Amino acid sequence: MQRNIMPVNWAVSGTEADVFFTIDGERYHVMSMTKFKAEVKIAIDKVPVLGSRMEQNKYGKMSGSFSGTAHYNSSVMREYYRKYKDTGRMPNVEIQVVNEDEASEAGRQTVVLKRCLFEGGVLSQFDENATHLDEEIKGVFGDFEIPDKFNARGGQI
């Protein structure tokens, strides 16, 4: 029996990525990010059906969230929070994540998160025992696009 095993040359390195934040039209290359993940959650609604003992289900609305870790070495996020404090207006934010490993046959994928809202963050910190400082970011997004997709392997949806 032949097993279907993914060749190693399709694996994508976790270190081969770029992240860009666009805040009110200003684009920032966020090279200090060390980890990032965006996820969607789909609500599953229960649908009662007359005459059936089994509860039925259907897809409902989606929600998106993101989280990540960055080196604490840029004031971009603190300026974002200051603008909201001073004006009461939250700046418009998009986050673009590009995965592209030249050694992988998977190719390139770009995901753009739209209408992002950060849940808060670090204003100031120090740690006399730390060799470097990190900060966590968390938030939600209201839409997304995938302008570049990984190469198809074995079919498309």
Side-chain angles (χ1 to χ4, degrees):
M1 175 197 239
Q2 179 76 18
R3 289 181 37 198
N4 190 8
I5 298 174
M6 180 185 82
V8 220
N9 55 344
W10 277 81
V12 177
S13 171
T15 63
E16 299 294 332
D18 267 323
V19 181
F20 301 91
F21 288 4
T22 302
I23 302 175
D24 277 347
E26 291 286 326
R27 189 167 190 210
Y28 302 92
H29 191 188
V30 190
M31 296 178 66
S32 61
M33 292 293 297
T34 60
K35 185 186 287 188
F36 187 84
K37 183 189 291 187
E39 299 179 305
V40 291
K41 182 176 181 182
I42 304 172
I44 297 179
D45 299 331
K46 297 184 182 319
V47 181
V49 176
L50 190 62
S52 174
R53 288 193 172 103
M54 292 294 297
E55 194 171 65
Q56 302 301 308
N57 303 288
K58 72 172 199 163
Y59 283 121
K61 293 189 175 194
M62 295 174 73
S63 60
S65 63
F66 61 86
S67 62
T69 304
H71 294 303
Y72 177 76
N73 61 7
S74 168
S75 295
V76 170
M77 294 308 300
R78 277 145 291 287
E79 187 62 17
Y80 170 85
Y81 303 131
R82 188 202 56 77
K83 281 184 182 179
Y84 178 63
K85 176 189 71 76
D86 290 351
T87 67
R89 184 188 154 283
M90 191 57 82
N92 180 45
V93 177
E94 288 187 356
I95 299 174
Q96 178 182 352
V97 178
V98 180
N99 295 98
E100 185 173 24
D101 178 354
E102 296 293 331
S104 172
E105 292 183 30
R108 171 189 178 114
Q109 176 179 272
T110 303
V111 175
V112 181
L113 309 179
K114 298 178 169 277
R115 296 193 302 278
C116 299
L117 298 174
F118 293 97
E119 294 179 2
V122 175
L123 286 180
S124 183
Q125 67 174 321
F126 72 87
D127 179 346
E128 72 174 28
N129 296 313
T131 58
H132 67 279
L133 295 173
D134 287 335
E135 62 181 311
E136 302 297 317
I137 63 164
K138 287 188 347 184
V140 295
F141 59 94
D143 198 2
F144 67 94
E145 293 178 355
I146 308 173
D148 300 314
K149 298 165 185 65
F150 285 130
N151 295 328
R153 185 168 191 275
Q156 281 287 52
I157 292 179

